[in-house]
Amino acid sequence: MHQGYSPKVYTGGTVVAMSIGLTLLGLLETGPRHGYDLKRAYDEHFGQDRPLHYGQVYSTLSRLLRDGLVEVDGVEAGEGPERKRYAITASGVTDVRDWLVTPERPEPYLHSTLYTKVVLALMSGRSAAEVLDVQRGAHLETMRTLTRRKLTGDLADQLICDHALFHLEADLRWLELTAARLDQLSAEVRR
Amino acid sequence: MSGPLLEAMDLYKSFGPTPALDGAGMSLWPGEVVAVMGPSGSGKSTLLHCLAGILRPDSGTVSYNGTELSALSDVARSELRRTEFGFVFQFGQLVPELTSLENVALPLRLGGMRRREAEQAATEWLERLEVADVAGKRPGETSGGQGQRVAVARALVTRPKVVFADEPTGALDSLNGERVMRLLVAAAKDTTAAVVLVTHEARVAAYSDREVVVRDGKSTQVELIP
Amino acid sequence: MTMLRLRPRRRLRQWWIDLMLGIRLAVGGGRAGWGRLALTAVGVGLGVTVLLAATSVSHMLQARDDRGYARAVPTSESAKIPGVDPVYAALRETTFDDRDFEGVIVQKTGPNAPLPPGVDRLPDVGEVVLSPALRQLLDSPEGELLRPRFPERVVGTVDPSGLTGPHELFFYVGVPDVAGSSGSAVTYHFGRPSQPRYLDGLLWLLIALGSVALLMPVVVFVATSTRLAAAARDRRLAALRLVGADGEQVRRIAAGEAFVGALVGLVVGVGLFALGRAIVPTLDPPALRGGIFAADVRPDWTLVALILVVVPVLAVVIAMFSLRRVMIEPLGVVRRARNQRRRLWWRLVPPVAGVALLASQGGRLSQKTRKKASNCR
Ligand SMILES: Nc1ncnc2c1ncn2[C@@H]1O[C@H](COP(=O)(O)OP(=O)(O)OP(=O)(O)O)[C@@H](O)[C@H]1O
Ligand SMILES: [Mg+2]
């Protein structure tokens, strides 16, 4: 199943790769930290499903260092990058602020796999309703799992699950609407 | 128990020329939460009312614990509603003249329980549903969310075997809806009551164990649990 | 199937609980509930007041008549009573400033004169006994011009037992030459035997028509408020059905509700009637000259008892009967009997009955009118 329509997409980590750097910058804004501390803080707040690897942390930090967004604040005795303390620079702070106030692009998913599947099913005379029903079942099952997890989890868990649930619900609405319009759609496809 | 608690088969029901139910059916096993979903006007509420013996289908059977509901007298069906079933609707099921406490105690009183005992049980349920503070208020004086939680308390106060909930969160915002659902499902599981949950909200349906989809008066059971 | 078997109910307690629940629904149901109860109570109360007043009319008229007869000057030669000094007496009527006066001129023949009711001492020549209203009038500035007509010394007042009403202007005056004046008679006692009211049938008809005229708006009022409350009641009873009240229970609950309304209505009615009774003596209606004593306004107790029993019973029966035709479903679906057409004949009943009653009494009415006319001449 394509990533775009797997229910997993909403639960698999709350921070996508490209914003890890900015997230680390944000964490550094509260004060200088060692790389190890940074990873711990990240995992505690954002890494519920996918903790960061050390390698990921250090490669990101070196990129930030290169771009002048962080600087080395101090080095403790010994070897290796884990001895360095990092602090955020003025341009780093600017970047974080810009990032926070820039809206995320609302993803329209216009050409989703599922839409393609439905149209193909209609064109080939297969049951498009079944395609939708199966997807619907899968969505609802995921929602059940999330709901169960929400009921036992703490507040952070609840909020993350709710985020995923609302998105899945939106998908389900689309599924229902499409199901209700299949006749119309099939007429257009066959034209 | 060997069979389902409640079983409906081949239900037909029409109001005027167009059928509301066109061969629908479903079964309910003890203690499970079943969501009934489907588009508006597909016959979800009609199915629920037939299951609860409030509406009599034109044809088809509904049996509770093996007893055909349509064979029961009005008195027996009333008794069933009072002792074995509980109801939570979107709104309007509370008696507007009575306080929350009196509303919750009502089914017990109708069953002949003494006032003191009935109100004590009602108080416990109001506490459990986190609405003890509105015990003395009438439905018109409470918020929608509080009212629904009072309704849930009343539905469960007789420790019924089945709770029928028709869009219980339909008039509530997400936060209050979630709260009602959380409390309803938790209380139902605690008392091993089965729940028939009619809803068109997927997030609400996600509280169920499985779902029944109704379309144009016909139903499809997803995952029949043996 | 043990679950479906009905447990042996403690019937009596259940009945009690249901009735109390009905009563609870009628009282303390928030502002709307109280408003409904107040409407019902005022409606029923007004009806009860009218009925109580109607049953009082007969007694009130009879009491006035009786006292009128009791002080009347006998027309025929009265039999001699040993030890009584007969009195020459004649009735006099006059008007002043649009007001009617009535009185008796008397001339005693000895110390043992007979006494009319309400009078301690029959006046001698140059003396007068006045009714309280007349006395008050003479003392007031209004009576300025009247005073010369009553130059005699006032020796007493007529108390209520000698008057038909509190505002009656009545006097007994001692005059030298009654024996020679017109209409005079010599008598050993005052009073003529009281006659039962001749026109009882007609009177009752008038009372009935008057009551109906007064009751009509009341009935319309009650009907309207009932219809307004019907939707709320159906919703309420449907909610009760949903939680498992069976048909019988709903009926008992509705009965309890109606009973409270009727009961409060009775209290309101009795209260309004008592209020009216207190106000009556201050009125001076032209139709009943001299006004009405509160003591005369006394309902017929058997009818009162009937009203007190019938009104609540009727309210309960109507409440239960109206539920018989409107079956309340647990969902608030109200299934009405197919016969939605309103029956015309119901509405024809009052006018037809009225015409019939009038026709039955019409002959007597004209007879009496003729008779009265000839009396006057
Ligand atoms: N009492 C009634 N009288 C007439 N028609 C009715 C009645 N109840 C339901 N219907 C009709 O039966 C059909 C099914 O109604 P029902 O209330 O079961 O739908 P639903 O699935 O609950 O819809 P919704 O999600 O809007 O509540 C509809 O077409 C409706 O108009
Ligand atoms: Mg519905």
Side-chain angles (χ1 to χ4, degrees):
Chain A
M1 198 176 281
H2 182 276
Q3 262 278 306
Y5 253 92
S6 160
K8 259 209 142 95
V9 72
Y10 301 110
T11 50
T14 47
V15 180
V16 281
M18 63 169 285
S19 58
I20 289 179
L22 287 159
T23 311
L24 293 185
L25 275 180
L27 288 172
L28 281 177
E29 219 184 343
T30 61
R33 287 175 201 257
H34 288 105
Y36 174 74
D37 284 343
L38 265 180
K39 176 197 150 40
R40 275 240 316 258
Y42 181 96
D43 287 351
E44 187 190 330
H45 293 292
F46 311 112
Q48 276 83 358
D49 290 308
R50 266 186 214 169
L52 284 181
H53 305 299
Y54 283 107
Q56 231 177 332
V57 175
Y58 293 116
S59 63
T60 309
L61 281 174
S62 57
R63 180 169 58 78
L64 295 175
L65 205 56
R66 189 191 66 213
D67 294 347
L69 301 173
V70 297
E71 60 197 8
V72 175
D73 185 48
V75 182
E76 277 160 39
E79 291 280 304
E82 66 270 20
R83 297 297 177 210
K84 288 182 186 147
R85 232 156 60 120
Y86 296 90
I88 193 165
T89 61
S91 65
V93 171
T94 313
D95 269 21
V96 171
R97 197 198 59 211
D98 288 351
W99 179 54
L100 289 182
V101 300
T102 310
E104 295 296 300
R105 197 164 76 90
E107 292 290 344
Y109 296 109
L110 263 182
H111 295 281
S112 76
T113 322
L114 199 62
Y115 176 74
T116 316
K117 280 183 172 179
V118 169
V119 172
L120 283 176
L122 287 173
M123 288 169 75
S124 61
R126 293 195 181 85
S127 168
E130 199 187 319
V131 173
L132 292 170
D133 269 351
V134 167
Q135 187 61 50
R136 189 197 142 77
H139 264 68
L140 205 63
E141 201 41 53
T142 308
M143 288 180 76
R144 281 202 187 96
T145 314
L146 286 169
T147 303
R148 241 170 270 138
R149 184 170 138 193
K150 181 170 84 174
L151 290 181
T152 51
D154 58 7
L155 183 63
D157 258 344
Q158 286 178 26
L159 289 176
I160 289 162
C161 288
D162 271 333
H163 182 256
L165 280 167
F166 277 113
H167 276 85
L168 288 169
E169 189 188 24
D171 283 356
L172 262 176
R173 286 217 192 118
W174 181 84
L175 288 169
E176 261 155 29
L177 204 68
T178 310
R181 287 179 177 170
L182 271 183
D183 289 345
Q184 217 179 325
L185 184 63
S186 81
E188 299 216 345
V189 165
R190 296 237 174 87
R191 194 154 346 121
Chain B
M1 194 162 302
S2 54
L5 190 58
L6 193 57
E7 187 156 42
M9 281 189 289
D10 291 329
L11 296 185
Y12 290 84
K13 173 84 193 174
S14 37
F15 305 94
T18 48
L21 289 183
D22 192 11
M26 67 173 276
S27 48
L28 183 73
W29 295 78
E32 68 169 343
V33 180
V34 174
V36 177
M37 300 191 72
S40 188
S42 56
K44 303 183 294 291
S45 300
T46 310
L47 176 61
L48 178 127
H49 295 153
C50 286
L51 283 173
I54 297 173
L55 272 182
R56 203 180 282 246
D58 298 337
S59 72
T61 58
V62 179
S63 51
Y64 176 69
N65 265 341
T67 307
E68 174 68 34
L69 285 191
S70 58
L72 295 175
S73 66
D74 172 65
V75 174
R77 268 180 294 133
S78 300
E79 168 107 3
L80 206 56
R81 281 200 300 277
R82 201 181 60 238
T83 56
E84 308 280 304
F85 296 167
F87 296 90
V88 185
F89 290 164
Q90 187 168 349
F91 49 73
Q93 71 270 34
L94 296 175
V95 182
E97 283 79 5
L98 300 180
T99 62
S100 302
L101 184 68
E102 288 170 314
N103 258 300
V104 176
L106 187 60
L108 300 175
R109 294 285 285 155
L110 286 172
M113 190 184 275
R114 287 179 198 285
R115 181 192 297 272
R116 176 123 19 110
E117 289 171 62
E119 296 199 337
Q120 192 178 333
T123 306
E124 280 165 23
W125 273 98
L126 286 173
E127 279 165 8
R128 193 155 169 183
L129 273 295
E130 303 168 8
V131 273
D133 48 329
V134 298
K137 289 188 177 175
R138 276 179 273 272
E141 302 159 352
T142 62
S143 78
Q146 289 167 338
Q148 286 308 81
R149 279 181 278 145
V150 172
V152 171
R154 192 180 70 179
L156 286 160
V157 72
T158 55
R159 298 189 167 264
K161 296 283 184 298
V162 186
V163 174
F164 295 95
D166 193 346
E167 304 281 6
T169 61
L172 306 180
D173 64 15
S174 313
L175 194 59
N176 277 290
E178 296 281 340
R179 195 167 175 197
V180 167
M181 283 313 300
R182 186 167 47 77
L183 292 165
L184 168 62
V185 170
K189 293 278 175 199
D190 279 358
T191 58
T192 67
V195 180
V196 180
L197 174 64
V198 169
T199 183
H200 63 262
E201 283 179 90
R203 265 179 317 109
V204 173
Y207 282 87
S208 65
D209 300 318
R210 64 183 179 99
E211 59 167 338
V212 171
V213 180
V214 181
R215 285 206 179 94
D216 298 329
K218 298 179 179 65
S219 61
T220 327
Q221 298 208 40
V222 179
E223 306 165 51
L224 242 180
I225 294 172
Chain C
M1 269 300 305
T2 51
M3 258 169 257
L4 291 183
R5 207 185 310 127
L6 296 184
R7 278 177 229 106
R9 283 243 201 99
R10 296 126 297 186
R11 262 185 187 281
L12 216 58
R13 168 132 65 105
Q14 191 56 56
W15 274 57
W16 177 246
I17 289 177
D18 294 343
L19 284 174
M20 290 313 283
L21 195 57
I23 291 170
R24 169 65 189 82
L25 286 173
V27 298
R31 204 178 302 164
W34 283 114
R36 251 191 334 262
L37 182 62
L39 278 185
T40 314
V42 167
V44 174
L46 286 174
V48 168
T49 309
V50 170
L51 287 176
L52 288 177
T55 68
S56 314
V57 170
S58 164
H59 176 268
M60 188 263 293
L61 293 178
Q62 188 68 56
R64 289 167 63 89
D65 275 10
D66 287 352
R67 286 196 301 275
Y69 280 114
R71 73 184 181 195
V73 178
T75 43
S76 52
E77 198 69 19
S78 77
K80 195 169 273 182
I81 299 174
V84 173
D85 301 322
V87 172
Y88 290 97
L91 193 67
R92 287 290 177 268
E93 288 177 3
T94 178
T95 57
F96 167 75
D97 196 14
D98 271 357
R99 273 182 268 223
D100 290 324
F101 291 73
E102 223 180 337
V104 180
I105 52 173
V106 292
Q107 182 186 3
K108 296 203 242 184
T109 60
N112 282 334
L115 285 175
V119 176
D120 291 343
R121 184 163 94 75
L122 213 54
D124 289 319
V125 175
E127 292 177 341
V128 71
V129 173
L130 302 172
S131 72
L134 180 53
R135 188 163 198 169
Q136 206 181 346
L137 181 62
L138 285 173
D139 288 346
S140 72
E142 249 187 301
E144 182 78 54
L145 293 170
L146 193 61
R147 253 170 257 153
R149 291 224 218 162
F150 292 94
E152 295 88 353
R153 193 160 60 86
V154 179
V155 294
T157 15
V158 187
D159 74 28
S161 63
L163 297 170
T164 57
H167 305 294
E168 194 177 28
L169 303 171
F170 200 85
F171 56 85
Y172 291 93
V173 61
V175 170
D177 190 23
V178 177
S181 52
S182 70
S184 81
V186 63
T187 185
Y188 288 84
H189 64 93
F190 284 88
R192 277 183 302 190
S194 161
Q195 287 172 11
R197 291 190 70 89
Y198 171 64
L199 264 186
D200 252 3
L202 181 61
L203 179 67
W204 276 114
L205 173 60
L206 289 174
I207 294 172
L209 287 179
S211 308
V212 168
L214 284 172
L215 280 176
M216 261 321 175
V218 174
V219 168
V220 171
F221 177 75
V222 170
T224 313
S225 58
T226 307
R227 200 170 304 168
L228 285 179
R233 187 192 67 170
D234 290 354
R235 196 172 336 116
R236 183 161 67 242
L237 297 182
L240 287 167
R241 290 281 280 148
L242 184 68
V243 246
D246 59 41
E248 287 270 305
Q249 285 185 295
V250 165
R251 218 157 280 166
R252 282 197 292 270
I253 291 167
E257 239 182 301
F259 184 72
V260 174
L263 216 58
V264 179
L266 276 182
V267 172
V268 169
V270 170
L272 281 178
F273 180 72
L275 190 72
R277 202 163 169 265
I279 289 172
V280 148
T282 65
L283 307 175
D284 194 358
L288 293 168
R289 192 150 51 89
I292 305 161
F293 284 119
D296 286 349
V297 182
R298 212 182 62 200
D300 184 324
W301 293 116
T302 51
L303 288 178
V304 169
L306 202 64
I307 291 171
L308 292 186
V309 172
V310 164
V311 168
V313 168
L314 204 65
V316 167
V317 168
I318 288 175
M320 294 174 78
F321 186 77
S322 67
L323 280 187
R324 220 171 59 120
R325 294 199 43 205
V326 182
M327 178 60 193
I328 311 271
E329 303 263 304
L331 290 174
V333 182
V334 178
R335 193 171 58 201
R336 289 184 188 282
R338 209 152 296 151
N339 190 1
Q340 276 280 23
R341 204 157 30 90
R342 292 176 187 277
R343 295 207 193 100
L344 183 64
W345 65 267
W346 262 111
R347 291 155 189 233
L348 287 177
V349 166
V352 168
V355 168
L357 277 170
L358 267 181
S360 74
Q361 299 293 335
R364 287 225 246 160
L365 181 65
S366 52
Q367 200 183 330
K368 174 70 183 183
T369 325
R370 261 199 308 280
K371 198 167 159 197
K372 194 151 197 180
S374 65
N375 273 356
C376 287
R377 243 174 263 132

